[in-house]
Amino acid sequence: AQKVTQAQTEISVVEKEDVTLDCVYETRDTTYYLFWYKQPPSGELVFLIRRNSFDEQNEISGRYSWNFQKSTSSFNFTITASQVVDSAVYFCALSDPGNNNDMRFGAGTRLTVKP
Amino acid sequence: KAGVTQTPRYLIKTRGQQVTLSCSPISGHRSVSWYQQTPGQGLQFLFEYFSETQRNKGNFPGRFSGRQFSNSRSEMNVSTLELGDSALYLCASSSRVSGGVTDTQYFGPGTRLTVL
């Protein structure tokens, strides 16, 4: 069954610390897409990254980086030198043909960055 | 480009009433999806519309319905409201074409519905 697990419910760090948010997924399809979204207190989900199953290259965008490992079905997200503005709920999501390409979200990880 | 817009942003209703929420997608996007977000159940897929047709539907009762207009704007309706329908309702649009692979969904700010 298609499933996304974000085992960390809440994480609290002090500014400038690095933090990694974990995401583990399950799918029977060989072609699928993984996403990360950020939800600040305002409520809007902000798109961060989209990765297809054939591209295992890690991605870096400024302080953000993503580590995709098919062998362990994980798509982890690291924030380097965290800032207070990074405080939000982060969602990992999976989309695959076996589920009509609908997006299934993990439960989210609430990140609090303290000054 | 303007982002996804949703109206109203906040709504208070009482049990038994019905409600209609509106979503305007990003210009050029023809796919609109709706999600319900609650503290207990998280983000759950409601349905997706493409070219005025409902393409997929999540596991929600028939009280939840929607439609899409020729300009891709979408509305969702909840009839006979229950306390448990209190949630943030998020709309997302994408340029996903019929039968095509997943494209990125861009979300609106949501409508927060409170049922008393």
Side-chain angles (χ1 to χ4, degrees):
Chain A
Q2 185 209 42
K3 190 178 173 183
V4 179
T5 302
Q6 293 181 256
Q8 304 149 308
T9 306
E10 295 192 32
I11 300 176
S12 181
V13 299
V14 177
E15 211 170 17
K16 296 185 183 175
E17 282 186 23
D18 298 346
V19 58
T20 295
L21 310 182
D22 298 332
C23 174
V24 175
Y25 61 92
E26 293 177 33
T27 178
R28 294 179 181 176
D29 292 298
T30 55
T31 301
Y32 51 89
Y33 292 81
L34 296 163
F35 301 79
W36 275 95
Y37 285 85
K38 171 183 179 180
Q39 187 176 40
S42 61
E44 182 173 346
L45 280 166
V46 178
F47 166 73
L48 295 177
I49 190 170
R50 168 179 178 243
R51 176 68 56 182
N52 76 55
S53 53
F54 296 105
D55 183 1
E56 287 194 72
Q57 277 195 333
N58 291 332
E59 174 106 4
I60 297 176
S61 176
R63 297 185 296 107
Y64 295 172
S65 62
W66 290 269
N67 183 5
F68 176 31
Q69 292 197 342
K70 286 178 75 170
S71 60
T72 56
S73 297
S74 65
F75 186 42
N76 297 337
F77 172 33
T78 297
I79 302 175
T80 303
S82 60
Q83 299 176 1
V84 173
V85 293
D86 295 327
S87 296
V89 181
Y90 290 87
F91 290 93
C92 179
L94 165 69
S95 172
D96 60 9
N99 199 43
N100 296 314
N101 289 318
D102 295 334
M103 254 207 263
R104 290 296 180 263
F105 287 85
T109 297
R110 180 177 299 279
L111 173 65
T112 301
V113 181
K114 298 177 182 176
Chain B
K1 268 188 182 178
V4 178
T5 58
Q6 291 186 247
T7 57
R9 293 293 311 278
Y10 302 91
L11 209 48
I12 299 176
K13 292 285 187 179
T14 56
R15 278 184 302 173
Q17 286 187 310
Q18 77 165 27
V19 67
T20 299
L21 311 182
S22 181
C23 171
S24 292
I26 291 172
S27 178
H29 285 188
R30 295 166 64 188
S31 169
V32 173
S33 297
W34 288 88
Y35 295 83
Q36 181 196 64
Q37 186 178 24
T38 60
Q41 299 298 318
L43 269 159
Q44 293 185 285
F45 171 74
L46 278 157
F47 29 64
E48 179 195 4
Y49 284 87
F50 179 85
S51 290
E52 303 178 64
T53 301
Q54 186 182 88
R55 198 154 57 168
N56 295 318
K57 191 175 192 301
N59 189 24
F60 278 82
R63 301 185 297 107
F64 292 82
S65 63
R67 59 178 175 168
Q68 186 179 34
F69 302 95
S70 58
N71 61 358
S72 294
R73 190 177 69 86
S74 177
E75 289 181 348
M76 69 162 280
N77 184 77
V78 188
S79 62
T80 320
L81 283 166
E82 300 176 0
L83 295 180
D85 297 333
S86 293
L88 179 67
Y89 290 88
L90 291 160
C91 165
S93 77
S94 78
S95 56
R96 174 177 167 183
V97 297
S98 178
V101 298
T102 297
D103 204 343
T104 300
Q105 293 190 6
Y106 296 92
F107 286 78
T111 294
R112 187 165 294 283
L113 172 65
T114 302
V115 182
L116 303 176

